[in-house]
Amino acid sequence: MTQADGIDPTAAPSGTGCAECEASGGWWFHLRRCAQCGHVGCCDSSPARHATAHFHATGHPLVQSYEPGEEWFWNFATDELFESGPALAPPHSHPEDQPAPGPAGRVPADWSRTLR
């Protein structure tokens, strides 16, 4: 995987949580980081699926897990999983003290029933 594949290793993450969920007061299950622009969005198991929506809106195909200890990449365009890839600009995950699902205080008590 290279910059030509849709990776900019200098792009910093957009924040510590899903950009759209933060703006709307929503919540997420897990987070994904766009490898091209750094946008942080929620995964497809989350209610809003903002990482996939970002791909459809921008065409940026690659995301990396934004969970602590995970290094894998996913290519939305080809439905391919890569166990690792190039190092992206830090930080490499949301803060370890941030819960998943998150963020703290916005996750409904019945969150597991709403997972996709």
Side-chain angles (χ1 to χ4, degrees):
M1 289 186 291
T2 66
Q3 196 159 358
D5 296 320
I7 295 176
D8 179 355
T10 66
S14 61
T16 60
C18 174
E20 290 83 5
C21 288
E22 291 286 24
S24 68
W27 65 277
W28 55 83
F29 184 51
H30 287 131
L31 298 171
R32 309 294 178 239
R33 172 189 179 174
C34 178
Q36 190 163 344
C37 71
H39 174 271
V40 176
C42 53
C43 72
D44 282 355
S45 294
S46 301
R49 304 158 104 184
H50 287 122
T52 296
H54 177 76
F55 161 64
H56 289 299
T58 64
H60 298 170
L62 294 163
V63 292
Q64 185 178 38
S65 174
Y66 201 54
E67 295 298 316
E70 296 183 2
E71 297 179 11
W72 57 264
F73 285 77
W74 177 257
N75 186 324
F76 284 113
T78 62
D79 289 335
E80 288 180 274
L81 176 69
F82 300 93
E83 290 186 28
S84 63
L88 301 180
H92 302 289
S93 71
H94 64 75
E96 290 199 30
D97 63 351
Q98 179 178 300
R106 289 206 315 248
V107 180
D110 65 345
W111 66 268
S112 62
R113 294 187 334 164
T114 64
L115 293 181
R116 297 181 182 259

